[in-house]
Amino acid sequence: MKALKITPKQLKLEDFEDKSLLIVDDDDPLRGRLSRAMEKKGFLVKGAKTEAEAIDIIQKTPPNFAVVDLRLEGGNGLKIVKF
């Protein structure tokens, strides 16, 4: 990936080759709404409900962006962030 030399105000999604986004949240309706909204913005979204599911996705196809619920039921979102 080539380095971009621009300020955050100029940064746009189309500036990124990899538009992959992982959304991790155990709230199904929220994850679904957020996924649809981000797809409309141009992201290629994968969703995960659990820590294990998120780690599996990251190992197979690491996303360029992520939105992670830190308080997952039966898991810890910080573990995913560190991964």
Side-chain angles (χ1 to χ4, degrees):
M1 184 175 171
K2 68 177 187 173
L4 299 175
K5 192 174 183 180
I6 54 180
T7 64
K9 287 184 180 180
Q10 297 170 320
L11 203 57
K12 297 178 183 167
L13 184 59
E14 51 269 6
D15 295 326
F16 294 90
E17 281 184 46
D18 182 359
K19 296 171 179 60
S20 60
L21 169 66
L22 174 61
I23 298 176
V24 185
D25 200 305
D26 51 7
D27 183 330
D28 293 331
L30 174 64
R31 190 178 63 257
R33 285 191 306 271
L34 184 55
S35 294
R36 286 188 298 278
M38 298 311 280
E39 285 171 346
K40 287 181 182 178
K41 297 287 184 184
F43 286 95
L44 303 171
V45 179
K46 288 188 180 181
K49 183 174 183 166
T50 66
E51 176 185 312
E53 190 178 344
I55 290 172
D56 184 53
I57 290 170
I58 292 167
Q59 288 176 331
K60 290 178 181 173
T61 54
N64 201 31
F65 303 94
V67 176
V68 180
D69 179 1
L70 298 181
R71 295 184 191 176
L72 293 171
E73 188 175 313
N76 184 342
L78 284 176
K79 185 175 179 183
I80 297 166
V81 172
K82 291 177 182 178
F83 203 86

